[in-house]
Amino acid sequence: MQKKWWHGKTAYQIYPKSFYDANGDGIGDLRGVIEKLDYLQELGVEIVWLSPIYCSPLADQGYDISDYYNIDPRFGTMAEMDELIAKAKERGIGIVMDLVVNHCSDEHEWFRKACQDPDGPYGKFFYIVDRDGEHLPCNWRSAFGGSVWEPLPGHPDKLYLHTFHKKQPDLNWENPAMREEIYKMINWWLDKGLAGFRIDAIINIKKVLPFRDFPADRADGLCSISTMNYHAKGIGEFLGEMAERCFNPHNAFTAGEVFYVSDDRLPDFIGDHGYFSSMFDFNETLCNASEKGWYDQKPITPEQYKACCFESQAKVADFGFMSNIIENHDEPRGVSRYIPAGECTVRGKKMLGGLNFLLRGLPFIYQGQELGMENMAVSSIDEVDDISARDEYQVALNAGCTQQEALAAVNMFSRDNARTPYQWDDGPNAGFTTGTPWLHVNPNCKEINLAAQRNDPDSVYQFYRKLIKLRKNADLEDALIYGITVPYRVEQKNLMAYFRQGEQHKVLVLGNFQPQAQTVPLPGAVKKILLNNCGTAAITGDTAELEGYQLLVLEMA
Ligand code: TEU
Ligand code: CA
């Protein structure tokens, strides 16, 4: 595998709206990110992905872009964006933005022009069809519920397609003229000095055409859009063209948000000459997912988590780099999801973080993960902002759940869980804003916040700094960066253990994924204890006695 400039780095995702509000209007902003650059440098991250800050009506919190060439005034100005790129670069940090090109906003001028003249050039930027009575072109379900088809504003005789919210009309990638506009925009941003892009929902740009139904998977007669994704063929034409026209000439880092790609196609996506540099490992987030909805999804167990991680590692082996996460802005907090209920402790948070972080691939820390931020339960659907959660609540009720059962599903999976304001300190609004925060602050900010952890050598924050520093240890690069993951004692229950096997070094990662202690036979002599989330390490000869939720990282002789 060819070595790339970003392989040894650690990445960090910022959800700007909830990161830091510098002007007191309750909304996180670019000035806030600029003011926290020293913090990010202290943490040790070197790639920072910003969720969208382009002009947007925020129907989907910025993933509905109305002007790709401007910063939404609620987040700041283009001058501040240029300042951020420059000041980040001074600190060795590359800025990656979110590329949302499966769809734009219905307030984008392209869509406005399409509504003015559906048969004109901009009508062809979208999927617009003539109505056929009550019959719909296909029975696909929007990711946010309901049919993907909506009447075209001003044209009751026409429909347009939206994979997501109706305010997010899908762009027609079959149209070369539309693609040219996208490539021009990407290159404009890369020429400004971006280090690259995270690429949003990109698997959706290739549709099954002509439109056709797939078997319904719910009583609504519709089918999940993921079914369409599975059947769509030929996306490589678009992704390869985009890489050749934009990413490759700039040597840009790109991380695809890619779902439902068969194993045999992975090299096309993230191999040495793949469409993207990397793609996120969603195997753990998709575990136990149900087409019926969140209400039907059972919690993931430690054994399932282990199996999902090892399955992904084996798929990619040594031909590419997955981007490894325990959470992001679409998912619940990892420590609340992957650590069994009632067992979520500081020690467990460090163990989970270390087990994921040291897998082969690029570690992506999501804002607040380094503090061990947790889910925040709500007591009424009226407190929920997330449009996806509000849809899933109704899906649960429609399926016969009680309001309590439906709310329990929302509390487990709502995207709001990861969007509560970053917890900087134990002061008002967790130090996020001097105004009224746009979304509720988790009351546990009194205990879980950066100020309380920054100078505590045993904090989750300091443990993440150690993880990042360890991964930067040049002596161990052959193992910790390029070494393949070799599972160890997979059959031992609630033990998640694996080698990172390099040409010169072998590192063994041991995680005791339960409260009870357990004994682990060691495969040989230990040269050095590289990391331990407990005060002591009971290693005698060829045996390690692991305490509950203990993580040991060992350099083997
Ligand atoms: O998420 C895409 C997303 O929600 C996937 O799980 C989707 O369901 C899958 O691609 C199948 O269609 C991205 C963003 O991360 C999210 O915040 C946005 O709401 C969404 O795209 C729309 O832009
Ligand atoms: Ca603000």
Side-chain angles (χ1 to χ4, degrees):
M1 191 176 101
Q2 293 168 4
K3 293 194 175 183
K4 303 282 175 63
W5 62 268
W6 48 271
H7 279 167
K9 301 189 182 300
T10 295
Y12 189 88
Q13 180 192 355
I14 288 178
Y15 191 73
K17 193 171 185 180
S18 304
F19 187 61
Y20 183 61
D21 169 26
N23 67 351
D25 65 358
I27 296 175
D29 42 49
L30 280 177
R31 179 57 54 194
V33 177
I34 291 168
E35 290 183 11
K36 297 298 182 182
L37 279 173
D38 287 342
Y39 164 67
L40 295 170
Q41 187 176 22
E42 174 193 294
L43 176 58
V45 299
E46 296 169 283
I47 293 172
V48 168
W49 153 30
L50 300 179
S51 276
I53 47 175
Y54 315 90
C55 292
S56 167
L58 302 190
D60 185 18
Q61 292 304 356
Y63 283 90
D64 48 318
I65 296 169
S66 56
D67 182 351
Y68 286 101
Y69 291 91
N70 273 299
I71 302 299
D72 191 283
R74 281 166 285 201
F75 294 122
T77 65
M78 187 58 81
E80 286 175 318
M81 187 66 215
D82 292 332
E83 183 185 346
L84 171 60
I85 293 171
K87 287 185 173 173
K89 197 167 284 184
E90 286 167 11
R91 292 166 175 79
I93 295 173
I95 298 295
V96 164
M97 282 177 82
D98 218 314
L99 187 66
V100 186
V101 290
N102 171 67
H103 48 271
C104 62
S105 165
D106 65 347
E107 298 182 26
H108 191 290
E109 70 164 343
W110 295 342
F111 192 71
R112 286 203 176 116
K113 288 180 175 174
C115 291
Q116 287 159 9
D117 178 11
D119 300 321
Y122 288 101
K124 296 176 177 59
F125 271 41
F126 302 92
Y127 292 95
I128 296 172
V129 299
D130 293 327
R131 284 193 89 135
D132 173 14
E134 289 311 303
H135 176 73
L136 295 176
C138 60
N139 71 334
W140 308 346
R141 182 185 302 113
S142 153
F144 299 140
S147 168
V148 294
W149 294 102
E150 197 68 25
L152 184 71
H155 301 273
D157 60 330
K158 293 182 184 298
L159 299 168
Y160 72 90
L161 174 75
H162 60 89
T163 308
F164 293 93
H165 194 276
K166 66 182 179 183
K167 282 185 70 63
Q168 295 170 291
D170 279 44
L171 290 163
N172 184 344
W173 274 73
E174 303 297 335
N175 179 352
M178 194 295 292
R179 299 204 300 269
E180 285 305 318
E181 288 295 329
I182 297 295
Y183 301 156
K184 186 175 81 172
M185 177 270 292
I186 295 173
N187 286 325
W188 185 82
W189 275 108
L190 290 173
D191 290 343
K192 285 174 73 68
L194 285 186
F197 285 100
R198 174 265 186 179
I199 302 160
D200 182 71
I202 197 67
I203 202 69
N204 296 286
I205 65 172
K206 187 68 182 180
K207 275 44 174 184
V208 168
L209 297 175
F211 296 113
R212 64 181 172 87
D213 287 358
F214 292 102
D217 53 29
R218 290 182 196 168
D220 62 2
L222 304 176
C223 70
S224 167
I225 199 72
S226 58
T227 305
M228 186 280 287
N229 296 143
Y230 270 120
H231 288 86
K233 299 280 183 278
I235 194 171
E237 176 203 349
F238 302 150
L239 300 183
E241 185 180 66
M242 180 160 55
E244 284 157 23
R245 294 282 305 278
C246 308
F247 306 143
N248 297 348
H250 288 87
N251 195 19
F253 168 76
T254 52
E257 185 199 33
V258 178
F259 294 87
Y260 320 121
V261 167
S262 55
D263 299 357
D264 62 303
R265 292 165 63 203
L266 283 175
D268 296 337
F269 278 77
I270 56 171
D272 278 341
H273 306 289
Y275 309 131
F276 305 126
S277 309
S278 180
M279 59 192 265
F280 291 95
D281 172 19
F282 290 120
N283 218 15
E284 299 81 52
T285 62
L286 292 173
C287 180
N288 299 343
S290 164
E291 295 300 3
K292 293 177 183 167
W294 290 353
Y295 74 90
D296 191 46
Q297 184 166 347
K298 300 291 178 286
I300 183 172
T301 66
E303 282 295 292
Q304 286 177 316
Y305 178 76
K306 172 169 91 174
C308 286
C309 288
F310 288 165
E311 183 186 34
S312 291
Q313 292 283 299
K315 276 180 192 175
V316 179
D318 60 356
F319 72 73
F321 259 39
M322 293 297 268
S323 284
N324 297 312
I325 58 169
I326 65 168
E327 61 193 42
N328 64 25
H329 67 291
D330 286 337
E331 302 298 338
R333 288 287 178 179
V335 296
S336 300
R337 180 181 206 166
Y338 299 117
I339 298 175
E343 299 176 14
C344 188
T345 62
V346 166
R347 180 184 290 182
K349 293 177 178 182
K350 294 175 186 175
M351 181 210 71
L352 174 67
L355 286 173
N356 184 267
F357 189 91
L358 293 170
L359 290 170
R360 188 177 191 281
L362 183 68
F364 254 90
I365 298 169
Y366 177 68
Q367 68 179 44
Q369 173 185 335
E370 77 275 20
L371 306 180
M373 281 179 65
E374 301 173 1
N375 281 358
M376 177 180 166
V378 295
S379 51
S380 159
I381 192 63
D382 297 335
E383 299 171 55
V384 171
D385 172 81
D386 176 17
I387 53 176
S388 186
R390 300 179 72 84
D391 169 60
E392 289 283 351
Y393 180 79
Q394 196 53 54
V395 166
L397 295 179
N398 295 347
C401 291
T402 63
Q403 286 190 356
Q404 188 182 5
E405 290 164 337
L407 200 63
V410 164
N411 279 329
M412 188 174 285
F413 297 111
S414 172
R415 303 189 300 179
D416 285 353
N417 280 310
R419 299 176 180 187
T420 60
Y422 190 98
Q423 294 166 196
W424 295 101
D425 58 42
D426 64 359
N429 302 313
F432 161 72
T433 180
T434 55
T436 303
W438 73 276
L439 184 66
H440 42 243
V441 174
N442 194 320
N444 71 12
C445 64
K446 298 305 175 196
E447 298 77 35
I448 300 175
N449 64 74
L450 176 65
Q453 297 190 28
R454 207 161 191 172
N455 301 314
D456 173 358
D458 297 327
S459 65
V460 178
Y461 167 69
Q462 288 298 346
F463 195 78
Y464 269 91
R465 291 189 72 221
K466 289 174 189 166
L467 281 169
I468 295 169
K469 187 174 178 211
L470 173 62
R471 196 170 173 278
K472 284 181 183 172
N473 179 340
D475 297 339
L476 294 172
E477 179 190 83
D478 65 295
L480 292 181
I481 307 300
Y482 296 105
I484 59 168
T485 298
V486 179
Y488 178 64
R489 296 185 63 80
V490 173
E491 70 291 344
Q492 188 166 337
K493 192 171 184 314
N494 289 346
L495 174 71
M496 182 166 167
Y498 57 88
F499 292 105
R500 292 296 313 278
Q501 180 67 61
E503 290 179 3
Q504 293 85 34
H505 301 85
K506 182 157 76 169
V507 173
L508 178 58
V509 180
L510 301 172
N512 179 16
F513 221 130
Q514 62 181 28
Q516 300 78 10
Q518 64 174 312
T519 304
V520 183
L522 295 175
V526 174
K527 182 176 178 184
K528 185 179 178 187
I529 297 176
L530 297 170
L531 208 53
N532 177 4
N533 69 343
C534 294
T536 57
I539 295 175
T540 48
D542 58 359
T543 303
E545 290 292 335
L546 296 183
E547 297 177 37
Y549 283 103
Q550 182 164 14
L551 176 82
L552 271 181
V553 184
L554 308 172
E555 183 182 350
M556 303 307 286

